Amino acid sequence: MASLKTVFYLGVCLSSWIITTADEDSVPKAENVRWVSVDFKTTLTWTTTPSNYTYTVLYSIDDSDWTEIPDCIRVSESECDLTNHIMAHDRTYTADIQTEPAETDHYFDQEEPPHTYSSNFNPYKESKISAVKFRVEIVEESSVTVTITDPVTSIHVQQKQLTIRDILKNDLKYKISYYKSGSTGKRDIISNSSIAEVSGLDAGQSYCFMVAAFIPSRPKNSQQGAWSIQQCTPGQGLSLGALVGGLFILLIMLLIIVTTTILCCRCCRQRNKALQTSQSSSTVV
């Protein structure tokens, strides 16, 4: 009899354990957590299976205490925008995504809800930079000025929308790549500012330019931003010097033709005059 009771209790305990384990395994934890950041607009994304559970996102700076994000408490979406919460950009951020039941009167039997932690993220070193806009102005025969517009961010400070230069400051540089139209050889220069002069160009030739943000203080795989759309200068045909030289030669040739024509006319007049004089003398005789 005692052995039957023992077997019965063991069966009950085993059933309870199986049910509890099945419930825990069915809780949809966040997966494939990753940071998506472009021009310092930073979003945390993840994937999950459809369910009645919600998600709450917390973040930590340099392994400090966890802070909840007000806009990302018990959300059913699989992303959370942290842009307005990342104000210290050159710091290390970590996120914690907690799975919670959608109904507030239901709680997990375990002490804490399931957690999924993100990898570490430093926006100053890792936020991608989008393609920049720029214009090219011809200054002289062999030089142009490239004027670059710093991309704006989604961050506002005292009602001012910051640019990437406001954040990166002197660490922001620009890589300018250019080549002569019809040639395969490219040249790169690095500019410390948003205005750069490119010299040593062949006069009168068309050149094509592309620009990308460049942050050499970053790790190598995140130093360069996206390349801009290519812009080309128009070819000018003959250079000013060649044009002046051509006009000078043309003028010399014109002077030669005019001088030759005048001399020929004088010779013809003198010949006709001499002929008329000879005919007059013959008549008199």
Side-chain angles (χ1 to χ4, degrees), residues 14-179:
L14 181 60
S15 299
S16 300
W17 179 81
I18 292 174
I19 293 172
T20 302
T21 302
D23 289 340
E24 291 177 358
D25 291 340
S26 63
V27 176
K29 291 180 63 176
E31 298 178 343
N32 302 317
V33 180
R34 68 189 190 101
W35 297 91
V36 179
S37 183
V38 179
D39 297 337
F40 297 97
K41 178 177 175 59
T42 303
T43 304
L44 189 72
T45 66
W46 62 91
T47 60
T48 185
T49 56
S51 68
N52 292 326
Y53 288 87
T54 59
Y55 302 91
T56 295
V57 180
L58 302 89
Y59 71 95
S60 171
I61 305 177
D62 296 334
D63 295 325
S64 61
D65 294 337
W66 293 98
T67 303
E68 284 188 341
I69 300 176
D71 295 333
C72 299
I73 298 176
R74 292 185 176 275
V75 295
S76 57
E77 297 82 7
S78 56
E79 65 177 29
C80 176
D81 190 345
L82 284 82
T83 302
N84 294 328
H85 301 275
I86 298 180
M87 301 307 296
H89 297 94
D90 197 9
R91 305 284 288 276
T92 300
Y93 290 80
T94 308
D96 173 19
I97 305 175
Q98 298 181 356
T99 303
E100 298 178 335
E103 299 178 2
T104 56
D105 58 347
H106 181 273
Y107 297 95
F108 289 105
D109 293 332
Q110 62 241 44
E111 294 181 357
E112 289 187 1
H115 295 253
T116 303
Y117 295 97
S118 72
S119 58
N120 293 336
F121 176 71
N122 183 317
Y124 193 88
K125 297 178 180 179
E126 299 178 61
S127 184
K128 296 181 179 180
I129 306 300
S130 63
V132 301
K133 295 180 179 180
F134 70 100
R135 69 178 186 271
V136 181
E137 297 176 323
I138 299 175
V139 179
E140 296 177 354
E141 289 184 0
S142 59
S143 64
V144 299
T145 297
V146 179
T147 304
I148 306 160
T149 301
D150 298 324
V152 296
T153 70
S154 297
I155 301 169
H156 292 76
V157 175
Q158 296 180 352
Q159 299 182 344
K160 176 191 175 183
Q161 187 173 15
L162 302 184
T163 67
I164 62 171
R165 184 168 295 280
D166 293 325
I167 297 174
L168 296 169
K169 300 187 184 303
N170 292 333
D171 282 340
L172 175 62
K173 305 179 189 305
Y174 286 105
K175 180 181 288 187
I176 302 173
S177 180
Y178 65 97
Y179 66 94

